[in-house]
Amino acid sequence: MTNTLVLQDIDTNGIALNKEKYTIFQASHEVKPCLGCFGCWIKTPGKCVINDNDSDFAITIPHVQEVIIISQLVFGGLSPNIKAIFDRSIGFILPFFCNVNGEMHHKQRYKKRPSLKYLLYANVISDKEKSTAQKLAKANAINLGADNLSVHFYHSTIELLEDLK
């Protein structure tokens, strides 16, 4: 296992990400959405009860130093396939709530907390979409207890992938 976990929705277009540097989860249209069953909190703490490759994403998070989310920017949010996997990682946190800077957020399940980096791409990105994406990323970082957060915007996947080399 590497120190960096990548959740991506792009085809790397022949550009192979270094598998020694990254543990890669590929989001596809076959991703099953969260059932809302809370099994990841009760039946299999920390792990999604849907038994497929995507259920391993949440249990990998506590073992890495950094999580990188590579997603198409869709109305200021994540692509449907990335969101489906990210939703299924709720078992990473506990079902209990606490106050963080005047807001309600989930309590942490694990002591180790990775940094979180969003790499978002779209041909056209409005200021409103950027603002929405930054607010979403900040809320997710608080919920995941991320030590650091960064959000980057790209106008092409080629430009984005060049930054990861």
Side-chain angles (χ1 to χ4, degrees), residues 8-17 26-27 70 121 157-158 161:
Q8 68 178 18
D9 67 355
I10 60 173
D11 177 2
T12 56
N13 297 322
I15 300 173
L17 296 179
Q26 181 70 44
I70 299 174
Y121 65 91
T157 56
I158 294 170
L161 290 169

Side-chain angles (χ1 to χ4, degrees), residues 10 13 20 22 53 65 70 93 105 107 133 138 144 158:
I10 60 173
N13 297 322
E20 291 179 10
Y22 303 111
N53 291 338
Q65 292 177 339
I70 299 174
I93 52 184
H105 289 276
K107 288 188 175 186
K138 182 179 178 185
L144 291 177
I158 294 170

Side-chain angles (χ1 to χ4, degrees), residues 9 31 71-72 74 78-85:
D9 67 355
V31 174
S71 175
Q72 180 180 16
V74 180
L78 301 171
S79 72
N81 297 333
I82 293 292
K83 184 178 181 321
I85 292 177

Side-chain angles (χ1 to χ4, degrees), residues 44-125:
T44 58
K47 183 176 170 70
C48 181
V49 297
I50 300 172
N51 192 14
D52 63 9
N53 291 338
D54 301 317
S55 64
D56 290 340
F57 179 73
I59 63 172
T60 305
I61 296 172
H63 304 288
V64 298
Q65 292 177 339
E66 179 181 44
V67 175
I68 299 175
I69 306 292
I70 299 174
S71 175
Q72 180 180 16
L73 183 63
V74 180
F75 303 113
L78 301 171
S79 72
N81 297 333
I82 293 292
K83 184 178 181 321
I85 292 177
F86 208 70
D87 287 351
R88 287 180 51 194
S89 68
I90 196 164
F92 175 76
I93 52 184
L94 292 169
F96 312 110
F97 293 99
C98 61
N99 186 316
V100 178
N101 299 324
E103 297 177 348
M104 294 301 293
H105 289 276
H106 287 278
K107 288 188 175 186
Q108 299 302 307
R109 180 181 298 276
Y110 305 101
K111 289 183 181 180
K112 184 175 179 186
R113 299 176 184 157
S115 63
L116 184 60
K117 182 186 287 187
Y118 278 71
L119 306 179
L120 305 169
Y121 65 91
N123 291 336
V124 177
I125 303 171

